[in-house]
Amino acid sequence: MTNKTPDKSAKLKKTRWRTVVLIFAILLIFIGGIYWYNRKYLNLYYITTVYNPFKLNDKMYLNSFLVDKSSSKDFKQYNLSLYRMARPLNSDEVDNMNISLADKALIKQDLSSKKPYMEKCSWSISTDSLCKLKSAFIGSYSEIKIANIYLGKNQYGPGVFFIIHPMQKILVKENNNPPPSGYAFDNDLPFYIDATEVSTKESKTFRE
């Protein structure tokens, strides 16, 4: 009677195969976790890449329901807000503020939790002016941007915005909207408009 010696080569191959499978599984979990965490941004990047209807310098029109004669009375004298990018202040800007040292320290302590996001600015598009002109044309398209929207309590979510070069004659300046506390507007940056509020097509009817 003879004892069978285990095949060390077979065991080694089996161990290697299990290691490869384990590494592959870990990679799948890691990639899946990254996608799940960033799924909103990734989905928006896909949508903006595939479905963006505008090209550079294309004409942009306001969605017809904001100017159409059949639109609700709630949209009369409705001004459509434009956005600017609000960015957190830096330490030098806080130091130059005319406030107490204690208040400066509080602002600086809070800066690390702040992110740039789109904030409504003082300038808006007058839908009444568009109706008088009998045209929903609001300006020309420059580019698309996925940017943060502030949800409150230091929570942010993604949104899609278009950079617009608006017609000056349809702009109105409403109450001066200062940047949020701890933020500043980069006024040399362009205007943005919510991508859901614009169209590639002219409106056919307008409010009186």
Coordinates of all heavy atoms in Angstrom, one line a residue, residues 5 8 21-22 24 56 70 95 117 120-121 132 142 144-145 147 155 163-164 166 169 172 176 194 197 201 208:
T5 N 1.0 11.3 -2.7 CA 1.5 12.7 -2.3 C 0.7 13.7 -3.0 O 0.4 13.7 -4.2 CB 3.0 12.8 -2.8 OG1 3.7 11.7 -2.3 CG2 3.6 14.1 -2.4
K8 N 1.5 19.5 -5.4 CA 1.8 20.9 -4.9 C 1.5 21.9 -6.0 O 1.1 23.0 -5.8 CB 3.2 21.0 -4.4 CG 3.5 20.2 -3.1 CD 4.9 20.5 -2.7 CE 5.2 19.7 -1.4 NZ 6.6 19.9 -0.9
V21 N -9.4 35.8 -8.5 CA -10.8 36.0 -8.3 C -11.1 37.0 -7.2 O -12.0 37.9 -7.3 CB -11.6 34.7 -8.1 CG1 -13.0 34.9 -7.7 CG2 -11.5 33.8 -9.3
L22 N -10.4 36.9 -6.1 CA -10.6 37.8 -5.0 C -10.2 39.2 -5.3 O -11.0 40.1 -5.0 CB -9.7 37.3 -3.8 CG -9.8 38.1 -2.5 CD1 -11.3 38.2 -2.0 CD2 -8.9 37.6 -1.4
F24 N -10.2 40.5 -8.3 CA -11.2 41.0 -9.3 C -12.5 41.4 -8.6 O -13.1 42.4 -8.9 CB -11.5 39.9 -10.3 CG -12.4 40.3 -11.4 CD1 -12.0 41.1 -12.4 CD2 -13.7 39.7 -11.4 CE1 -12.9 41.5 -13.4 CE2 -14.6 40.1 -12.4 CZ -14.2 41.0 -13.4
L56 N -21.3 76.0 -29.8 CA -20.8 77.4 -29.5 C -21.5 78.4 -30.4 O -21.6 78.2 -31.6 CB -19.3 77.4 -29.8 CG -18.6 78.7 -29.5 CD1 -18.7 79.0 -28.0 CD2 -17.1 78.6 -29.9
S70 N -50.7 81.3 -23.2 CA -51.5 80.3 -22.5 C -50.9 80.1 -21.1 O -51.5 79.3 -20.3 CB -51.6 79.0 -23.2 OG -50.3 78.4 -23.4
D95 N -9.2 88.4 6.4 CA -8.4 89.3 7.2 C -8.7 90.8 6.9 O -8.5 91.6 7.7 CB -6.9 89.0 7.0 CG -6.4 87.7 7.6 OD1 -7.1 87.3 8.6 OD2 -5.4 87.1 7.1
Y117 N -20.4 77.0 -5.5 CA -21.7 76.6 -6.0 C -22.4 77.7 -6.7 O -22.0 78.9 -6.6 CB -22.6 76.1 -4.8 CG -23.2 77.1 -3.9 CD1 -24.4 77.7 -4.1 CD2 -22.4 77.5 -2.8 CE1 -24.9 78.6 -3.2 CE2 -22.9 78.4 -1.9 CZ -24.2 79.0 -2.1 OH -24.7 79.9 -1.3
K120 N -28.0 82.6 -7.2 CA -28.6 83.6 -8.0 C -28.0 84.9 -7.8 O -27.6 85.3 -6.6 CB -30.1 83.7 -7.6 CG -30.9 82.4 -7.9 CD -32.4 82.6 -7.5 CE -33.1 81.3 -7.9 NZ -34.6 81.4 -7.4
C121 N -27.8 85.7 -8.8 CA -27.2 87.0 -8.7 C -28.2 88.1 -8.9 O -29.4 87.9 -8.9 CB -26.0 87.1 -9.7 SG -26.6 87.2 -11.5
K132 N -42.8 91.7 -25.1 CA -43.0 93.0 -25.9 C -42.2 92.9 -27.2 O -42.6 93.4 -28.2 CB -42.5 94.2 -25.0 CG -43.4 94.5 -23.9 CD -42.8 95.6 -23.0 CE -43.7 95.9 -21.8 NZ -43.1 96.9 -20.9
S142 N -22.4 79.5 -24.8 CA -20.9 79.4 -24.8 C -20.5 77.9 -24.4 O -19.8 77.3 -25.2 CB -20.3 80.3 -23.8 OG -18.9 80.2 -23.7
I144 N -21.3 74.3 -21.5 CA -22.1 73.6 -20.5 C -21.2 73.4 -19.2 O -20.0 73.1 -19.4 CB -22.7 72.3 -21.0 CG1 -23.8 71.8 -20.1 CG2 -21.7 71.3 -21.2 CD1 -24.7 70.7 -20.8
K145 N -21.9 73.4 -18.1 CA -21.1 73.1 -16.8 C -22.0 72.4 -15.8 O -23.1 72.7 -15.6 CB -20.6 74.5 -16.2 CG -19.7 74.3 -15.0 CD -19.3 75.7 -14.5 CE -18.3 75.6 -13.3 NZ -17.0 75.0 -13.7
A147 N -22.4 71.9 -12.0 CA -21.9 72.7 -10.8 C -22.8 72.3 -9.6 O -23.9 71.9 -9.8 CB -21.9 74.2 -11.1
Q155 N -24.8 70.9 2.6 CA -25.1 69.8 1.7 C -25.2 70.4 0.3 O -25.8 71.4 0.1 CB -26.4 69.1 2.1 CG -26.4 68.4 3.4 CD -25.4 67.3 3.5 OE1 -25.3 66.4 2.6 NE2 -24.6 67.2 4.6
I163 N -23.4 78.4 -19.8 CA -22.9 79.8 -19.8 C -23.6 80.5 -21.0 O -23.6 80.1 -22.1 CB -21.4 79.8 -20.0 CG1 -20.7 79.2 -18.8 CG2 -20.9 81.2 -20.3 CD1 -19.2 79.1 -19.0
I164 N -24.1 81.7 -20.6 CA -24.9 82.5 -21.6 C -24.3 83.9 -21.7 O -23.9 84.5 -20.7 CB -26.4 82.5 -21.2 CG1 -27.2 83.3 -22.2 CG2 -26.6 83.1 -19.8 CD1 -28.7 83.3 -22.0
P166 N -26.0 87.0 -22.5 CA -27.4 87.5 -22.7 C -27.5 88.8 -23.4 O -26.5 89.6 -23.4 CB -27.9 87.7 -21.2 CG -26.7 87.9 -20.4 CD -25.5 87.2 -21.1
K169 N -30.6 94.3 -23.5 CA -31.9 95.0 -23.4 C -33.0 94.1 -22.7 O -34.1 94.7 -22.4 CB -32.4 95.4 -24.8 CG -32.6 94.2 -25.7 CD -33.0 94.8 -27.1 CE -33.2 93.7 -28.2 NZ -33.5 94.3 -29.5
V172 N -32.6 92.9 -16.3 CA -33.0 93.8 -15.3 C -32.2 93.5 -14.0 O -31.9 92.4 -13.7 CB -34.5 93.7 -15.0 CG1 -35.4 94.2 -16.1 CG2 -34.9 92.2 -14.6
N176 N -30.1 94.2 -4.9 CA -28.7 93.8 -5.0 C -28.5 92.5 -4.1 O -28.7 92.6 -2.9 CB -27.8 94.9 -4.4 CG -26.4 94.6 -4.7 OD1 -26.0 93.9 -5.6 ND2 -25.5 95.1 -3.8
D194 N -29.9 78.1 -15.7 CA -30.3 76.7 -15.4 C -30.7 76.1 -16.8 O -31.5 76.6 -17.5 CB -31.6 76.7 -14.5 CG -31.9 75.4 -14.0 OD1 -31.8 74.4 -14.8 OD2 -32.3 75.2 -12.8
E197 N -34.3 75.6 -18.2 CA -35.1 76.8 -18.5 C -35.0 77.3 -19.9 O -35.6 78.3 -20.3 CB -34.9 77.9 -17.5 CG -35.3 77.5 -16.1 CD -34.9 78.5 -15.0 OE1 -33.8 79.2 -15.2 OE2 -35.6 78.6 -14.0
K201 N -35.6 76.3 -29.6 CA -36.6 76.8 -30.5 C -37.3 78.1 -30.0 O -37.5 78.3 -28.8 CB -37.6 75.7 -30.6 CG -37.1 74.4 -31.3 CD -38.2 73.4 -31.4 CE -37.6 72.1 -32.1 NZ -38.7 71.0 -32.2
E208 N -49.7 89.1 -23.8 CA -49.9 90.5 -24.1 C -49.5 91.3 -22.9 O -49.6 90.9 -21.8 CB -51.4 90.8 -24.4 CG -51.9 90.0 -25.6 CD -51.2 90.5 -26.9 OE1 -50.8 91.7 -26.9 OE2 -51.1 89.7 -27.8

